[in-house]
Amino acid sequence: MQALQPKLEEKKELFLSELIELLRIPSVSADPKFAADVVKAAEYTANKLKEAGADKVELCQTKGYPIVYGEKIVDASLPTVLVYGHYDVQPADPYELWTSPPFEPVVKDGNIYARGACDDKGQFYMHVKAFQLMMENDALPCNVKFMIEGEEEVGSANLETFVRENIERLKSDVVLISDTGIIANDVPSITVGLRGLSYMEVEVTGPNRDLHSGIYGGAVANPINILCDMIASLHDDKRRVTVKGFYDEVDEVSNEERAMMNSAPFSIDDYKAHLDINDVLGEEGYTTLERTSIRPTLDVNGIWGGYIGEGAKTVLPSKAYAKISMRLVPNQDSKKISKLFQTHFEALAPASVKVKVTDHHGGEAAVTPTDSIAYKAAAKAMKATFGKEPLPMRSGGSIPIVTMFEKVLQTKSVLMGFGLDSDAIHSPNEHYGLFNYYKGIETIPFFFQYFAEMSA
Ligand code: BES
Ligand code: MN
Ligand code: MN
């Protein structure tokens, strides 16, 4: 695989320009206004897979956006790697906070800036290019299948059905995913845990219409005031979540694992400086690294209601809303937690308001093995290209399909991502390091080689 390095050098410019083309397509799955572009990103991906040498490339239709499939079977007796990624991206709002438009990629200071640069176009495209290099140089050591979806950022609602209907076609020895990060460019790591998610929306209704806040204020419940009270009560003075039963099933992590986790390089001062905050805040008794990986949390993602236009309008609104998400840890069941939240939240409401709680998407936490051949191959591959053994790290984000693949395909995943926490995924000015993009393309063929060798 060392032999591919000069070939990559020759193609760097080309591989970057292709990624830029992909990033120009605003494939925002959450917003129907971009529906045609989401499909365009799927077509672009399929074409590039074909050009790279994949067989049976297909846009598999679903009730939502298509799943791009392609494969190269070199020999049925060799192991098979299933590469998963997503070509859809988060909405780019708020646009005014971008220093360059989100769908007009620019390269600046060694980074490529665009929505989806890191999450996940820049990362899944590394696999397409690594595959191309292996194909062009007759160096594909095992079978590969690609499944790139377009609904990850909205909960992958149609992926499970597709997977269930294609169990044979998707049969593989490992699912390889680059949709996470490393600790730092000189501190490689492999993600071995992800949090689950319960995502709720609440609506609080007071009077049947907006009221004059002078005539009625003080006598009728203001749903925004009430909603704020209710939300404030969702954490106690130790910053623990008060939803009844919330912690009942939480897997407590051993002191050994906690100690190992906390020995990872991490500077709380840098962390605070990067975010421009004077202090951190979280559950008492846990470090920042623990709070963002092994502990469940609850956050309001958005809150609205009443008058938010120019100037002042004296109004006692009829309704208030909030979107509330909970990050879950292994052994918590997202459906159960959603139910617990609903019961708890409804019970919080005073008689003066009505409350409606709805459940958006959710998903389960995951822990991936570190003693598998695939993990060892990934660690060896990163060691080869970074010059350092990667650290196993749990992450706070969610990729619910990892647990689904395990359940439906009985196949475990390896989360070999190359992003950085500072890449601003889901935020304005998302970017991806060129170092990381090329490092990924360089590392992936090593994974294939070691995985094939170690499986033999
Ligand atoms: N790639 C992210 C998840 C991620 C990012 C995991 C960084 C670990 C480190 C993924 O695209 C994502 O954003 N997932 C959502 C959940 C999904 C159900 C919408 C998330 O974590 O909010
Ligand atoms: Mn992602
Ligand atoms: Mn994402």
Side-chain angles (χ1 to χ4, degrees):
M1 292 306 139
Q2 219 65 62
L4 292 183
Q5 192 51 35
K7 311 279 178 190
L8 170 58
E9 285 305 323
E10 281 166 30
K11 301 228 148 153
K12 276 185 168 173
E13 210 125 315
L14 176 68
F15 287 0
L16 178 59
S17 66
E18 289 179 16
L19 174 58
I20 287 175
E21 243 185 281
L22 174 60
L23 290 169
R24 276 188 201 287
I25 309 171
S27 50
V28 179
S29 51
D31 187 345
K33 160 167 114 227
F34 295 104
D37 293 301
V38 182
V39 175
K40 231 171 99 185
E43 285 163 353
Y44 185 87
T45 303
N47 283 336
K48 290 298 173 189
L49 266 179
K50 233 179 276 175
E51 281 173 28
D55 298 327
K56 299 189 182 166
V57 174
E58 186 186 333
L59 284 196
C60 308
Q61 299 305 323
T62 70
K63 283 194 182 130
Y65 290 118
I67 291 160
V68 181
Y69 180 83
E71 64 179 40
K72 186 74 203 178
I73 308 298
V74 285
D75 181 340
S77 68
L78 289 171
T80 302
V81 177
L82 174 60
V83 173
Y84 164 86
H86 62 94
Y87 62 78
D88 66 321
V89 301
Q90 285 273 321
D93 312 68
Y95 280 70
E96 64 276 13
L97 296 185
W98 286 77
T99 49
S100 55
F103 300 108
E104 291 170 33
V106 293
V107 176
K108 211 172 52 187
D109 307 324
N111 291 304
I112 176 156
Y113 285 80
R115 169 57 84 233
C118 171
D119 185 12
D120 180 41
K121 285 174 172 171
Q123 295 218 60
F124 91 72
Y125 205 65
M126 300 179 314
H127 287 271
V128 181
K129 295 300 97 178
F131 170 65
Q132 178 184 337
L133 282 179
M134 289 188 280
M135 289 297 289
E136 285 174 356
N137 295 283
D138 219 359
L140 183 66
C142 57
N143 305 315
V144 56
K145 298 175 175 177
F146 290 90
M147 174 172 54
I148 315 295
E149 72 153 318
E151 298 185 300
E152 195 276 343
E153 298 292 7
V154 288
S156 305
N158 299 294
L159 190 66
E160 180 161 347
T161 306
F162 174 78
V163 171
R164 285 192 186 281
E165 287 169 357
N166 290 276
I167 291 180
E168 252 332 285
R169 170 148 69 152
L170 298 172
K171 216 167 136 50
S172 61
D173 299 280
V174 64
V175 184
L176 181 61
I177 305 175
S178 296
D179 195 20
T180 53
I182 49 177
I183 296 175
N185 283 351
D186 57 352
V187 189
S189 58
I190 297 177
T191 302
V192 293
L194 292 162
R195 287 196 284 193
L197 184 70
S198 281
Y199 202 113
M200 316 296 294
E201 185 161 332
V202 300
E203 178 190 297
V204 178
T205 307
N208 60 4
R209 60 188 169 87
D210 286 7
L211 302 175
H212 187 287
S213 65
I215 298 174
Y216 291 97
V220 175
N222 178 325
I224 302 182
N225 294 9
I226 300 290
L227 176 60
C228 291
D229 290 346
M230 292 168 79
I231 288 171
S233 80
L234 294 174
H235 287 95
D236 67 13
D237 56 359
K238 295 189 165 67
R239 299 306 298 177
R240 281 172 67 88
V241 177
T242 57
V243 173
K244 273 185 210 68
F246 187 72
Y247 292 97
D248 284 1
E249 324 257 294
V250 165
D251 249 353
E252 299 292 337
V253 171
S254 72
N255 285 337
E256 291 98 283
E257 197 180 335
R258 286 180 68 182
M260 193 179 89
M261 187 170 228
N262 287 310
S263 70
F266 175 76
S267 153
I268 193 77
D269 291 327
D270 289 352
Y271 188 82
K272 289 193 280 196
H274 276 302
L275 300 175
D276 196 15
I277 51 175
N278 293 323
D279 207 354
V280 292
L281 180 71
E283 187 183 355
E284 209 175 281
Y286 294 92
T287 64
T288 293
L289 283 178
E290 292 170 342
R291 288 167 179 171
T292 54
S293 62
I294 57 165
R295 297 302 294 168
T297 54
L298 180 151
D299 275 288
V300 178
N301 298 260
I303 180 163
W304 69 103
Y307 182 69
I308 52 166
E310 287 294 314
K313 178 190 181 196
T314 49
V315 60
L316 192 166
S318 167
K319 284 180 187 289
Y321 306 84
K323 292 184 193 279
I324 299 176
S325 70
M326 290 161 282
R327 294 283 170 174
L328 311 177
V329 297
N331 209 41
Q332 281 182 301
D333 178 285
S334 70
K335 294 224 164 56
K336 224 166 165 178
I337 293 289
S338 299
K339 203 83 214 123
L340 286 178
F341 177 89
Q342 178 167 8
T343 307
H344 181 88
F345 204 77
E346 284 169 357
L348 282 180
S352 48
V353 298
K354 297 179 197 76
V355 171
K356 199 166 101 192
V357 179
T358 47
D359 190 356
H360 283 285
H361 56 75
E364 308 310 328
V367 244
T368 58
T370 52
D371 57 358
S372 64
I373 291 174
Y375 181 88
K376 288 176 188 157
K380 195 171 170 191
M382 284 185 126
K383 171 97 198 286
T385 57
F386 284 87
K388 264 188 204 172
E389 196 74 41
L391 302 168
M393 277 290 285
R394 289 213 208 181
S395 166
S398 306
I399 310 182
I401 49 88
V402 169
T403 300
M404 190 270 284
F405 289 154
E406 229 179 286
K407 195 176 66 185
V408 180
L409 296 173
Q410 267 97 50
T411 310
K412 306 245 188 218
S413 298
V414 168
L415 298 159
M416 190 171 72
F418 294 87
L420 296 173
D421 282 354
S422 54
D423 285 343
I425 65 171
H426 295 205
S427 301
N429 304 312
E430 176 176 354
H431 55 277
Y432 192 39
L434 299 184
F435 169 88
N436 305 70
Y437 181 54
Y438 297 131
K439 189 59 89 179
I441 300 174
E442 185 192 343
T443 307
I444 291 161
F446 280 98
F447 171 84
F448 275 76
Q449 183 195 338
Y450 296 142
F451 185 62
E453 284 172 12
M454 292 159 93
S455 302

